Amino acid sequence: RIRYDKSDHDFNDDGVEDSEDDDIETRLSIWRQETIGGVYVKLPTLLTADVDEVEGEVPGFSRFAIAY
């Protein structure tokens, strides 16, 4: 479970929080990178936007990120 409530909700970094950012938020997921320099793979993710949280199972040790 990863919370993003402290993040800037201007997800596209255009200086304005608007409907484009709302659309991006609906597509947020957890992504996993198994090895340094490897590709990121999107994991099945449950998004709970009203509490700014994504949840998913990260199997094993790896790098991970929230992205869309």
Side-chain angles (χ1 to χ4, degrees):
R1 185 176 300 165
I2 305 170
R3 295 187 59 92
Y4 59 93
D5 56 329
K6 305 288 188 220
S7 71
D8 181 356
H9 282 62
D10 179 17
F11 297 113
N12 62 0
D13 201 29
D14 67 356
V16 180
E17 287 185 33
D18 56 18
S19 61
E20 288 181 37
D21 299 300
D22 294 339
D23 179 55
I24 290 170
E25 185 174 24
T26 67
R27 295 182 279 138
L28 293 178
S29 295
I30 298 174
W31 292 70
R32 176 180 186 220
Q33 183 186 44
E34 193 167 317
T35 59
I36 295 174
V39 298
Y40 277 88
V41 177
K42 185 177 176 181
L43 299 177
T45 304
L46 173 63
L47 170 69
T48 311
D50 58 329
V51 293
D52 293 346
E53 183 176 275
V54 290
E55 183 176 347
E57 189 170 322
V58 179
F61 293 102
S62 65
R63 293 173 177 245
F64 56 92
I66 300 174
Y68 62 93

